[in-house]
Amino acid sequence: MNMKVNLAGVTLNNPVMTASGTFGSGEEYSELVDLNRLGAVVTKGVANIPWAGNPTPRIAETYGGMINAIGLQNPGMDVFIKRDIPFLKKYDTKIIVNVCGKTTEDYIEVVERLSDEPVDMLEINISCPNVKEGGIAFGQDPKAVEAITREIKKYAKQPVIMKLSPNVTDITVMAKAAEAGGADVLSMINTLTGMKIDVNRRTFAVANKTGGLSGPAIKPIAVRMVYQAACAVKIPIIGMGGIMTAEDALEFILAGATAVSVGTANFVNPYATTEIIAGIEDYMVKYQIEDLSELIGAVR
Ligand SMILES: Cc1cc2nc3c(=O)[nH]c(=O)nc-3n(C[C@H](O)[C@H](O)[C@H](O)COP(=O)(O)O)c2cc1C
């Protein structure tokens, strides 16, 4: 039975990875989860300089999910490279660094700096709904998506994953724009912009007023978008959004995702990633699937 998958020439031992921002850089989970089991660890967003993030409160629970407005708090690339990459290198897993920025130059600075580091892939977050400049400012305009993808590809030594925003009318337009700019892989979806009001405090549940909705509540939207994008482009897709179980992950794979990321589930069940891998194995045994690739995009 073969669970290995190929993303732009990078072979993952299995299709399950962590979703950016929900697993730190692995160290906080490593006492509970054997990182060697994961297809890849995707790090929290890293910027060229440290970012303080948004004022608190920054998270709130919702039905079937949560709203967050962390605002991409991170220690900046210098600390990240010194502290987190050597930690992750100890494990037999792929390292995917999520990159954030406010301007094209910011992104390029990080991408250039990472070019000589032992990083397997870069995931470019152009879809964070919680920072005013950058992030989503790029991700909602197809011309901007294509332009920033093209710029980043000029400097990147590793394959580039463009992380798309679901906060658009037609995801296929964005997927095609990233592909036209030279993206090697797409990942989707980032969070959907949401709002929660605390009726007792009579104010917004998160200080940023709006935040990104994640968790099972968004899964049917995410599966639909992965399906649409998979029909529209030739490059591989990493699917995510509300994956809690192996069945959830398999929905994304059948819809066309080559790999999947597990995010909010880690907060509820820190063992979610490895349980999902085991569940996919059981499914393959049950249905006599020799190679996971038989399942990718099998529903059309
Ligand atoms: C607390 C939190 C922090 C996040 N931080 C990032 C981030 O730094 N960069 C990024 O691209 N996505 C970030 N995301 C989005 C997730 O990677 C993922 O796209 C989204 O949550 C949908 O997956 P899920 O429903 O499994 O959580 C964050 C999500 C959460 C809940």
Side-chain angles (χ1 to χ4, degrees), residues 19-21 44-45 68 72 98 125 163 189-190 214-215 240-242 263-264:
S20 178
K44 171 80 188 156
N68 91 80
L72 297 175
N98 183 281
N125 180 8
K163 185 159 179 181
I189 62 175
N190 208 317
S214 63
M240 75 197 84
T264 301

Side-chain angles (χ1 to χ4, degrees), residues 268-291:
V268 186
N269 171 16
Y271 307 107
T273 44
T274 46
E275 288 177 7
I276 289 167
I277 295 163
I280 296 174
E281 267 163 9
D282 291 346
Y283 178 92
M284 289 175 71
V285 171
K286 183 174 171 194
Y287 291 102
Q288 297 174 344
I289 309 290
E290 279 302 316
D291 196 304

Side-chain angles (χ1 to χ4, degrees), residues 11-74:
T11 303
L12 275 55
N13 287 336
N14 66 68
V16 179
M17 55 180 83
T18 60
S20 178
T22 64
F23 206 75
S25 288
E27 70 295 330
E28 55 203 62
Y29 280 87
S30 61
E31 282 178 27
L32 301 169
V33 179
D34 179 5
L35 303 187
N36 297 304
R37 292 274 290 135
L38 304 178
V41 171
V42 182
T43 70
K44 171 80 188 156
V46 181
N48 56 339
I49 52 167
W51 287 12
N54 287 327
T56 57
R58 308 200 284 200
I59 57 169
E61 286 190 34
T62 61
Y63 287 118
M66 64 182 279
I67 284 182
N68 91 80
I70 307 291
L72 297 175
Q73 181 183 350
N74 78 93

Side-chain angles (χ1 to χ4, degrees), residues 26-224:
E27 70 295 330
E28 55 203 62
Y29 280 87
S30 61
E31 282 178 27
L32 301 169
V33 179
D34 179 5
L35 303 187
N36 297 304
R37 292 274 290 135
L38 304 178
V41 171
V42 182
T43 70
K44 171 80 188 156
V46 181
N48 56 339
I49 52 167
W51 287 12
N54 287 327
T56 57
R58 308 200 284 200
I59 57 169
E61 286 190 34
T62 61
Y63 287 118
M66 64 182 279
I67 284 182
N68 91 80
I70 307 291
L72 297 175
Q73 181 183 350
N74 78 93
M77 63 183 178
D78 289 335
V79 170
F80 171 79
I81 287 170
K82 221 167 135 206
R83 185 189 67 190
D84 295 353
I85 294 184
F87 171 80
L88 285 171
K89 270 315 283 176
K90 294 189 291 188
Y91 295 93
D92 176 25
T93 188
K94 297 291 182 245
I95 304 174
I96 301 180
V97 178
N98 183 281
V99 179
C100 56
K102 296 190 168 99
T103 64
T104 305
E105 292 71 33
D106 287 355
Y107 284 97
I108 287 170
E109 210 182 318
V110 182
V111 165
E112 277 199 295
R113 183 69 195 284
L114 289 170
S115 63
D116 295 323
E117 295 294 329
V119 166
D120 295 290
M121 303 182 92
L122 306 171
E123 181 180 60
I124 311 298
N125 180 8
I126 50 163
S127 46
C128 181
N130 303 322
V131 290
K132 285 198 183 65
E133 321 107 305
I136 201 145
F138 290 101
Q140 287 177 328
D141 171 0
K143 286 202 174 65
V145 170
E146 185 175 338
I148 193 170
T149 307
R150 183 160 286 129
E151 273 308 297
I152 285 169
K153 278 295 289 176
K154 281 187 202 158
Y155 297 90
K157 289 217 185 115
Q158 296 93 345
V160 170
I161 305 164
M162 295 306 286
K163 185 159 179 181
L164 301 183
S165 172
N167 299 301
V168 296
T169 312
D170 184 351
I171 195 73
T172 64
V173 173
M174 302 300 160
K176 285 184 192 155
E179 185 179 50
D184 299 290
V185 179
L186 302 176
S187 64
M188 68 183 72
I189 62 175
N190 208 317
T191 55
L192 283 150
T193 307
M195 180 181 279
K196 179 177 179 176
I197 289 171
D198 181 332
V199 294
N200 295 311
R201 286 166 52 233
R202 292 187 202 166
T203 187
F204 307 98
V206 295
N208 190 53
K209 299 185 184 175
T210 60
L213 180 64
S214 63
I218 70 170
K219 194 189 73 177
I221 300 171
V223 173
R224 182 262 295 175

